[in-house]
Amino acid sequence: MIRVQHITKTFGDHIAVNDVSFSVKEGETVVFLGTSGCGKTTLLKMINRLLEPDSGHIDIGGQPIDQQPPELLRRSIGYVFQNNGLFPHYTIEENIGIVPRLLGWEKKRIADRVTTLLEKLHLPPAQYRSAYPQQLSGGQQQRVGIARALAVSPPVLLMDEPFGALDPITRNHVKKDFMQLDELKNTTIILVTHDVQEAFQLGDRIILLNEGKIIQEGTPDQLLFEPAGDYSRDFFEDQRFALEASRIAPSDYPALIKAFDHYKQNNG
């Protein structure tokens, strides 16, 4: 559904994204993983034209994205920011209903959709629909940001460190509720994170980036057990035991013991 071909983006003398190509299947969740400054957010922003590439091509659903106005493109793509990006002078209902209003939905349809999403994200509508963002906690604001991104059931959802600004307990709760949304069943998702555990938990496929280039892409198991080189191997080393243990079925005790021995050998 999404095809990126030979994308390059520079800022002055700095090459942020360097000749990157990949594709994402319909309904697949792909994670851009890497350290700060590796190019993952820059790459994400070029998919909905918040940034324009210096060279290369991006297609969504077989249509080049540069052949349609950016504002129309973005109405068909949900976007979740790290710091929610809510409009402080809009109520929660108004924030969630932004894209439906732009698409000409009737008021009742918008109100019903807001009610549905607030209930699914455990924000009682009677309490929160008329509230303003500053009256909500960080976790509640991020739930609203997710609801806004999903308001019109977009076929594509882009997420830039969506849980990164939350404390660990809140992050786990919000992430769990997000993963249970039935709206995501047929949604193509690209998620940016530097959190390895999160990438393995959410991603069908992971694209590991460094210095603007793809180092390796594949399933979590492929990156963990079949590293393409030293960088891939070293990137996961500090968390290897926990990652390997999480990929092993409880009945596979020999493999678990092997993973534990490997961990002891490399950590004293």
Side-chain angles (χ1 to χ4, degrees):
M1 182 171 186
I2 300 174
R3 184 175 60 171
V4 174
Q5 295 179 293
H6 303 293
I7 287 294
T8 294
K9 180 66 178 178
T10 60
F11 298 100
D13 295 331
H14 174 64
I15 303 176
V17 175
N18 190 351
D19 192 26
V20 165
S21 299
F22 64 92
S23 61
V24 184
K25 300 175 184 176
E26 184 174 353
E28 184 179 29
T29 297
V30 169
V31 176
F32 294 165
L33 177 63
T35 58
S36 297
C38 71
K40 53 190 186 293
T41 293
T42 299
L43 185 55
L44 188 78
K45 288 181 175 180
M46 287 190 283
I47 294 173
N48 71 346
R49 299 189 64 186
L50 287 173
L51 292 173
E52 298 289 352
D54 297 332
S55 60
H57 303 279
I58 301 174
D59 296 347
I60 296 180
Q63 299 296 319
I65 66 171
D66 59 1
Q67 293 185 10
Q68 55 184 307
E71 62 273 15
L72 294 181
L73 172 71
R74 292 172 195 146
R75 291 176 192 176
S76 65
I77 299 176
Y79 199 106
V80 182
F81 300 85
Q82 179 175 0
N83 294 308
N84 67 69
L86 301 178
F87 294 106
H89 56 291
Y90 283 10
T91 65
I92 298 310
E93 181 166 20
E94 290 169 336
N95 266 283
I96 296 173
I98 287 174
V99 175
R101 287 197 301 274
L102 290 173
L103 294 177
W105 286 23
E106 295 180 354
K107 288 184 179 180
K108 184 180 185 306
R109 185 183 179 191
I110 295 174
D112 290 345
R113 182 60 172 158
V114 170
T115 296
T116 296
L117 287 168
L118 288 176
E119 288 175 344
K120 287 183 176 182
L121 288 162
H122 304 290
L123 295 171
Q127 181 178 352
Y128 289 102
R129 71 188 314 139
S130 297
Y132 288 87
Q134 62 268 26
Q135 297 174 292
L136 276 60
S137 69
Q140 291 168 338
Q141 290 181 24
Q142 199 64 338
R143 291 172 189 268
V144 174
I146 291 170
R148 182 179 63 180
L150 294 173
V152 297
S153 300
V156 175
L157 179 64
L158 307 180
M159 309 184 76
D160 188 6
E161 298 276 6
F163 313 110
L166 305 177
D167 65 83
I169 294 176
T170 302
R171 181 165 63 241
N172 287 336
H173 286 307
V174 175
K175 192 186 307 181
K176 178 181 177 181
D177 291 339
F178 167 75
M179 293 170 63
Q180 293 176 344
L181 291 171
D182 53 15
E183 280 83 358
L184 303 180
K185 288 180 180 178
N186 299 310
T187 304
T188 303
I189 301 173
I190 299 180
L191 182 146
V192 163
T193 187
H194 64 273
D195 186 319
V196 174
Q197 296 285 350
E198 185 170 280
F200 273 65
Q201 182 181 16
L202 298 178
D204 298 315
R205 198 154 47 88
I206 296 172
I207 295 178
L208 179 62
L209 294 157
N210 184 45
E211 296 182 346
K213 296 182 179 180
I214 293 179
I215 303 301
Q216 185 175 356
E217 64 174 296
T219 65
D221 282 350
Q222 286 173 327
L223 267 71
L224 185 61
F225 298 111
E226 304 170 27
D230 291 341
Y231 187 88
S232 294
R233 182 180 298 103
D234 294 344
F235 189 87
F236 300 105
E237 196 59 39
D238 289 346
Q239 301 184 56
R240 182 167 296 278
F241 173 69
L243 292 171
E244 289 184 353
S246 70
R247 312 305 293 181
I248 297 170
S251 59
D252 197 355
Y253 290 115
L256 184 60
I257 293 171
K258 181 179 179 181
F260 182 65
D261 289 341
H262 175 83
Y263 176 81
K264 289 199 298 182
Q265 291 172 5
N266 287 275
N267 292 274

